[in-house]
Amino acid sequence: MKFRDLHRQYEAMKAEIDDAMASVVESGAFIMGEPVRELEMQLADYVGVRHCITCASGTDALRLALMAWGIGEGAAVFVPDFTFFATAEAVALQGAMPIFVDVDPVTYNIDPEDLVRKYRMVTERGDLRPVAVVAVDLFGLPFDYESVSKFCRDHELYLLEDGAQGFGGICRGRKACSLGDIGTTSFFPSKPLGCYGDGGALFTDDDEWAAKLRSLRQHGRGADKYDNVSVGLNSRLDTLQAAILNVKLRHLDDELRMMDRIAGYYSDHLCGQVITPSVPDGYRSVWAQYTIQHCYRDALARSLAEKGIPTAVYYPRTMSRQAAFANIRYLQEVNPVALRLADTVVSLPMHPYLSEQEQEAIVAAMF
Ligand SMILES: *Cc1c(COP(=O)(O)O)cnc(C)c1O
């Protein structure tokens, strides 16, 4: 059994994917070919925003957004303490200070109340300028858009949505990746919409930022290839990856429905025994992970492994406990919910092609 079985997905779409890849190879347009433009139109349409700008990874997407806003030294950027490293790494790499905010014990997403506390602590010290919040759609569930976006508007902060795990999710009728001033996603193979390598994208309704992002992803390009108006990155999505994503996007909504059924099966059979994920009313999760909490997490994972069932721990260490950030701990913050989650979470196999027999075997092996 596989934790996320990408081969079964390939089997299901093999003819279409093979065709799409062959036509890119035939065309020879490996960089910024027609499938890239087509994908950007389809993705913008799916998410419901004016602009989609593809790039080389979800990490680059975060960096490019911060670059477009001119965020660097002297800026404080609020990020959840419980997330994948890249969320905070992109902030630090731009020279800004990541401020680690605790997460909500039910949704695992950034806690709007702790955001208020951390904002106050930063303004009281007074040597950094608060400029942005990065809110993550962790494990596929969109963040608390209403509270966080109101806070950002009231305090004139940019809101960046890290939708690397959230593409396809919904929050009160709005699609994930449209919830921030800029939204980003990742096409890493195991993400909800994954390609066959690295890839990412940015989403925004703002025409000026979109133009800036298109320039920054190609070395800060100006009027032509050898006119450079700013210092940017080489961060384009390969045409081959775009062609693969054009196929997979057509199947995404079916796959999301399949995963919803599997999540429902898990939750029906596991609730009361372990803490199962909860999806608030008006939200749709895309089940980037099906993550439970268990006080003997390591023992449970070992016993499942002995029965041939793979699990994974996302994430065993909070951002504020990462060695990489040991020297830039601005608030010396202690975030109790994030710390507890790092000790208790474990994710079960989850992908659209998990068979009924496999689902039954997993549930049976839990007890
Ligand atoms: C995967 C991920 C990223 C980084 O995406 P890459 O494409 O691997 O660079 C950023 N943030 C979160 C929350 C992620 O899960």
Side-chain angles (χ1 to χ4, degrees):
M1 193 187 302
K2 292 209 173 111
F3 185 72
R4 193 164 183 101
D5 197 328
L6 294 172
H7 194 260
R8 281 190 204 162
Q9 184 196 45
Y10 174 57
E11 289 290 310
M13 307 175 192
K14 184 172 178 354
E16 286 172 274
I17 289 179
D18 288 355
D19 267 4
M21 290 202 293
S23 75
V24 174
V25 177
E26 292 288 340
S27 81
F30 297 110
I31 303 292
M32 299 304 278
E34 187 49 37
V36 175
R37 256 176 299 277
E38 185 193 331
L39 178 68
E40 290 181 343
M41 280 173 48
Q42 301 288 341
L43 289 173
D45 188 53
Y46 184 93
V47 167
V49 295
R50 286 169 58 78
H51 305 283
C52 167
I53 302 96
T54 54
C55 65
S57 72
T59 306
D60 275 4
L62 293 167
R63 268 190 94 182
L64 286 163
L66 298 170
M67 288 168 83
W69 287 334
I71 291 177
E73 215 168 305
V77 177
F78 301 87
V79 302
D81 203 5
F82 191 65
T83 180
F84 178 62
F85 184 66
T87 311
E89 180 186 37
V91 172
L93 199 55
Q94 289 309 113
M97 181 69 72
I99 306 292
F100 304 113
V101 180
D102 208 356
V103 294
D104 180 274
V106 175
T107 65
Y108 309 166
N109 282 327
I110 195 164
D111 176 358
E113 285 175 23
D114 196 53
L115 178 59
V116 175
R117 273 193 293 276
K118 296 290 167 26
Y119 177 86
R120 252 192 234 125
M121 288 165 83
V122 170
T123 49
E124 270 161 23
R125 276 188 54 168
D127 53 342
L128 289 179
R129 201 165 59 89
V131 292
V133 174
V134 189
V136 179
D137 303 325
L138 201 73
F139 302 152
L141 179 70
F143 69 97
D144 180 350
Y145 164 72
E146 276 161 17
S147 312
V148 177
S149 69
K150 178 166 191 320
F151 180 82
C152 288
R153 268 198 313 277
D154 291 350
H155 296 85
E156 292 182 36
L157 302 172
Y158 291 119
L159 174 54
L160 177 56
E161 177 185 10
D162 179 352
Q165 302 181 12
F167 190 87
I170 295 173
C171 166
R172 304 195 194 291
R174 296 183 57 151
K175 284 268 171 64
C177 298
S178 75
L179 305 174
D181 298 312
I182 296 178
T184 63
T185 198
S186 161
F187 304 125
F188 184 84
S190 60
K191 304 281 168 149
L193 178 63
C195 61
Y196 289 164
D198 279 306
L202 299 112
F203 300 86
T204 186
D205 276 326
D206 188 290
D207 298 347
E208 257 174 55
W209 295 339
K212 180 97 195 174
L213 291 167
R214 287 187 196 285
S215 165
L216 285 171
R217 75 168 163 184
Q218 293 204 81
H219 305 290
R221 146 185 194 145
D224 64 62
K225 221 170 166 176
Y226 300 107
D227 176 33
N228 302 86
V229 294
S230 58
V231 172
L233 299 175
N234 172 8
S235 184
R236 295 167 295 224
L237 182 70
D238 294 343
T239 309
L240 262 174
Q241 303 299 350
I244 292 161
L245 287 164
N246 279 322
V247 173
K248 288 207 194 182
L249 182 61
R250 293 200 285 270
H251 297 271
L252 181 68
D253 282 331
D254 285 337
E255 291 192 336
L256 296 182
R257 276 189 287 275
M258 288 150 83
M259 283 195 287
D260 254 337
R261 275 200 295 278
I262 298 167
Y265 178 86
Y266 274 156
S267 293
D268 287 348
H269 290 80
L270 300 179
C271 84
Q273 323 266 357
V274 299
I275 299 175
T276 53
S278 51
V279 179
D281 278 350
Y283 284 67
R284 173 167 92 183
S285 172
V286 293
W287 305 110
Q289 304 298 339
Y290 184 92
T291 302
I292 60 170
Q293 284 182 67
H294 192 281
C295 50
Y296 300 111
R297 182 259 321 268
D298 294 331
L300 175 67
R302 265 195 307 277
S303 122
L304 288 172
E306 280 162 16
K307 296 170 188 161
I309 292 161
T311 60
V313 172
Y314 303 111
Y315 296 93
R317 199 165 294 121
T318 64
M319 290 306 104
S320 50
R321 293 278 163 102
Q322 289 287 0
F325 298 132
N327 297 323
I328 58 162
R329 292 283 312 287
Y330 180 73
L331 295 178
Q332 298 300 318
E333 55 280 71
V334 176
N335 293 314
V337 178
L339 287 171
R340 191 186 69 226
L341 290 175
D343 285 338
T344 55
V345 290
V346 58
S347 303
L348 302 182
M350 174 54 95
H351 59 84
Y353 306 93
L354 197 67
S355 71
E356 282 176 21
Q357 292 90 313
E358 285 170 322
Q359 297 167 44
E360 285 164 16
I362 292 161
V363 165
M366 295 281 296
F367 309 109

